[in-house]
Amino acid sequence: MVRRLVAFIAALVLFAEAVGIVIVNVVLGTVVKNQDMSLAGTDPGVMSKGTWVLGGVSGLFLVLCGVLLLLAGIRDRAPGRVARIVLISCAVIHGVLGALTVGLVGWSAFVIMMVVLGLIVLTLVAYGPADRQPATAAEPEQPAAPAPA
């Protein structure tokens, strides 16, 4: 029951993060476009469009991860191999961005990133591998004794 709740909470957090990332990138792209300044000769229009595209791709990736976690919670089954790879990459990205946010934004942003990382990892660990086989006995099976006659 707890793992379903963690999967649902992680999915909701990733959906909210996707919206936030898209909004931040749209604002940054608009600011770059309105400044009309170039960075080492780069066209401001290209930079703003690149920022908007990055925001859209990042938002879609986070929505995909949220959907995968939501499906895992609804089905109460471990994500498949590809879904686990996507979620692990999302966790790694959150870890790296969390390390970068300490210096750029501050400790509060770091804590938020680590909470999201923890939710993703906790979901992956709680469900375990998708193709887990039941544990076999450590000792080899002994042949049955002959039945008394």
Side-chain angles (χ1 to χ4, degrees):
M1 184 65 180
V2 172
R3 65 184 186 179
R4 292 181 98 178
L5 181 64
V6 171
F8 288 138
I9 291 172
L12 290 175
V13 167
L14 286 177
F15 292 145
E17 186 178 359
V19 171
I21 289 292
V22 169
I23 289 172
V24 165
N25 278 289
V26 165
V27 168
L28 287 175
T30 304
V31 167
V32 168
K33 184 178 178 185
N34 290 339
Q35 288 292 322
D36 200 28
M37 296 171 64
S38 68
L39 179 66
T42 307
D43 182 26
V46 172
M47 290 188 339
S48 69
K49 288 176 186 164
T51 305
W52 292 335
V53 169
L54 176 67
V57 170
S58 300
L60 287 175
F61 178 70
L62 291 171
V63 166
L64 171 68
C65 293
V67 167
L68 293 175
L69 289 171
L70 191 62
L71 288 175
I74 290 171
R75 295 177 183 165
D76 199 22
R77 285 193 338 220
R81 179 173 290 166
V82 174
R84 290 182 71 81
I85 292 170
V86 170
L87 291 173
I88 289 169
S89 67
C90 184
V92 169
I93 290 170
H94 276 85
V96 171
L97 289 179
L100 291 174
T101 58
V102 172
L104 298 174
V105 181
W107 286 102
S108 59
F110 172 76
V111 169
I112 292 170
M113 296 299 284
M114 292 302 107
V115 166
V116 177
L117 169 68
L119 287 170
I120 295 169
V121 170
L122 182 58
T123 302
L124 289 170
V125 170
Y127 280 106
D131 53 353
R132 175 180 283 177
Q133 298 294 330
T136 59
E139 299 176 17
E141 293 184 22
Q142 300 294 328

